[in-house]
Amino acid sequence: MLKKTAQKTILVAGGAGFVGSHLCEALLRQGHRVICLDSFLTGNIENVRALCAFREFRLVRQDVIEPIRLSEALDRVYNLASPASPPQYQADPIHTMMTNVVGTRNLLALAAEHGATFLQASTSEVYGDPEVHPQSEDYRGSVNCTGSRACYDEGKRAAEALCFDYRRRGTADVRVARIFNTYGPHMRADDGRIVSNLIVQALKGESLTIYGSGEQTRSFCYVSDLVEGLMALMEVGDAPDGAVNLGNPSEFTVTALAHLVQRMVPSAAGIVHRPLPEDDPRRRRPDIRRARDLLGWEPRVPLSEGLPQTAAWFVNHLAGSLPPPARPGRRAAAASA
Ligand code: NAD
């Protein structure tokens, strides 16, 4: 247990989501008081049910678009509140934009009022479909501001602008993390993200869907690595001048990922190709030199470890809705069908 002076009161907006729930748990384990504020738009009470047993954990159901009033004095504010997968953020694009703009403004104002340090969960989507590779923080991005992903990409870009305006005015101590593809337990089975999609399809014995040729690349960061990076950025003495990329620089094609899943899950069937969605980025790999230099952070969990851990979690989580375990030879038969 932390001494009273070291114990902080920390707000995690979006704390019932995939990343937020792991962050809440890690902060509680360090001995802090955690307030998880979430509208449950894409979050899940199951992600934080075990945390509700901690005396130092409080759950507030609220949309960040509405003015936020809390009775506790806050030391830290993490803003993770935003749907993150394309089907979810495109379901109500205007609400997504408002969540990122109005919601971030509300949380920045709250941090300023409390003198709390603020961390914004931004995204590699601010780079759009990048023309430079790998992406360093100085790259200004190639985003289609009228496309169907703009509600998220441009919402996050506007949120970054707000963060740095608060900082320039000296009203809040602000840090901005640009998060690249992250995966792990607590992802939703139906959220349409590539890792959860492929694992869930494999466990159900369905064909694995690849959008486009499969030659597009992504870099996958295990959630425990990301949470360590977020906490290191929040606690680093001097706020970095700009945003900081957090992601795993190991790059895989989507086809290579699908093959890894096929090798790992005996029930996985063959691969089917579907058209690439609008504005889907062709290449993604973070340049993490800034995070290494400033935070001493780099990811430690390779895909070969993180993927089986994620699949094992889905097996437990989906128990009852999965077909019986595959008999030897079934995959070969399905793959050739
Ligand atoms: P998630 O959808 O699992 O979690 C987001 C949480 O925010 C959910 O619990 C949701 O209910 C809540 N939320 C959404 N809109 C809200 C609103 N208006 N008011 C209150 N709560 C709201 O997504 P995640 O993967 O955990 O992502 C967390 C953050 O990290 C997001 O801001 C996302 O943009 C960012 N990010 C994630 C990834 C990734 O690969 N997971 C990559 C880049 C950026």
Side-chain angles (χ1 to χ4, degrees):
M1 183 50 72
L2 289 174
K3 283 196 203 139
K4 276 283 172 227
T5 48
Q7 187 185 46
K8 298 184 178 71
T9 302
I10 302 178
L11 176 69
V12 182
F18 157 49
V19 177
S21 54
H22 289 276
L23 177 62
C24 288
E25 182 176 345
L27 293 168
L28 283 169
R29 292 202 182 285
Q30 284 191 342
H32 299 297
R33 273 187 230 104
V34 175
I35 304 166
C36 166
L37 185 146
D38 204 295
S39 66
F40 290 93
L41 178 72
T42 54
N44 185 346
I45 186 67
E46 291 309 319
N47 289 344
V48 289
R49 195 177 291 288
L51 306 186
C52 295
F54 286 70
R55 207 165 38 92
E56 306 289 30
F57 183 75
R58 185 159 90 85
L59 191 57
V60 177
R61 181 184 282 260
Q62 201 201 304
D63 194 311
V64 291
I65 290 177
E66 305 302 327
I68 303 166
R69 287 182 199 88
L70 295 170
S71 48
E72 297 92 333
L74 300 174
D75 300 296
R76 303 281 185 266
V77 174
Y78 286 90
N79 179 19
L80 280 74
S82 169
S85 85
Q88 289 173 337
Y89 66 64
Q90 288 165 351
D92 186 347
I94 295 165
H95 187 259
T96 298
M97 178 63 91
M98 292 303 121
T99 293
N100 280 298
V101 179
V102 179
T104 301
R105 196 272 316 268
N106 286 343
L107 288 160
L108 278 164
L110 188 74
E113 181 192 326
H114 287 254
T117 310
F118 180 94
L119 185 142
Q120 169 68 6
S122 189
T123 170
S124 57
E125 299 293 333
V126 300
Y127 301 124
D129 186 7
E131 299 127 325
V132 302
H133 195 73
Q135 293 80 51
S136 72
E137 292 87 348
D138 299 331
Y139 176 51
R140 293 187 182 176
S142 166
V143 174
N144 174 1
C145 69
T146 58
S148 58
R149 297 171 77 106
C151 58
Y152 182 73
D153 302 5
E154 296 291 1
K156 288 285 188 182
R157 286 168 70 95
E160 285 199 16
L162 274 169
C163 287
F164 287 104
D165 282 334
Y166 265 77
R167 178 150 156 204
R168 268 186 292 273
R169 289 189 160 194
T171 30
D173 177 353
V174 173
R175 291 107 201 274
V176 174
R178 289 192 184 143
I179 302 171
F180 284 64
N181 280 51
T182 301
Y183 70 100
H186 297 185
M187 295 181 91
R188 280 171 55 146
D190 61 351
D191 69 4
R193 294 192 243 199
I194 181 167
V195 173
S196 45
N197 247 9
L198 293 176
I199 290 179
V200 171
Q201 287 177 329
L203 291 173
K204 289 185 170 173
E206 296 169 3
S207 301
L208 309 190
T209 309
I210 289 184
Y211 294 93
S213 68
E215 289 311 298
Q216 67 273 32
T217 66
R218 297 290 184 270
S219 307
F220 302 102
C221 186
Y222 193 62
V223 65
S224 58
D225 282 333
L226 173 66
V227 165
E228 282 176 13
L230 292 173
M231 290 163 64
L233 179 56
M234 178 63 107
E235 298 307 327
V236 69
D238 292 324
D241 283 338
V244 177
N245 286 339
L246 293 179
N248 192 320
S250 307
E251 187 179 4
F252 293 81
T253 65
V254 167
T255 300
L257 177 70
H259 288 157
L260 273 177
V261 171
Q262 281 182 319
R263 279 201 292 278
M264 189 182 69
V265 183
S267 54
I271 288 174
V272 290
H273 288 263
R274 299 259 182 272
L276 203 60
E278 185 192 12
D279 296 330
D280 201 55
R282 285 158 297 171
R283 299 184 80 184
R284 269 295 161 69
R285 177 153 72 93
D287 177 337
I288 60 164
R289 280 176 294 179
R290 189 175 284 179
R292 275 200 190 110
D293 292 348
L294 295 176
L295 314 176
W297 174 88
E298 63 185 347
R300 292 182 291 166
V301 182
L303 203 51
S304 57
E305 269 176 42
L307 218 47
Q309 288 178 33
T310 308
W313 182 82
F314 271 117
V315 168
N316 287 332
H317 183 70
L318 299 174
S321 62
L322 293 177
R327 292 187 302 277
R330 179 175 163 203
R331 179 178 143 200
S336 62

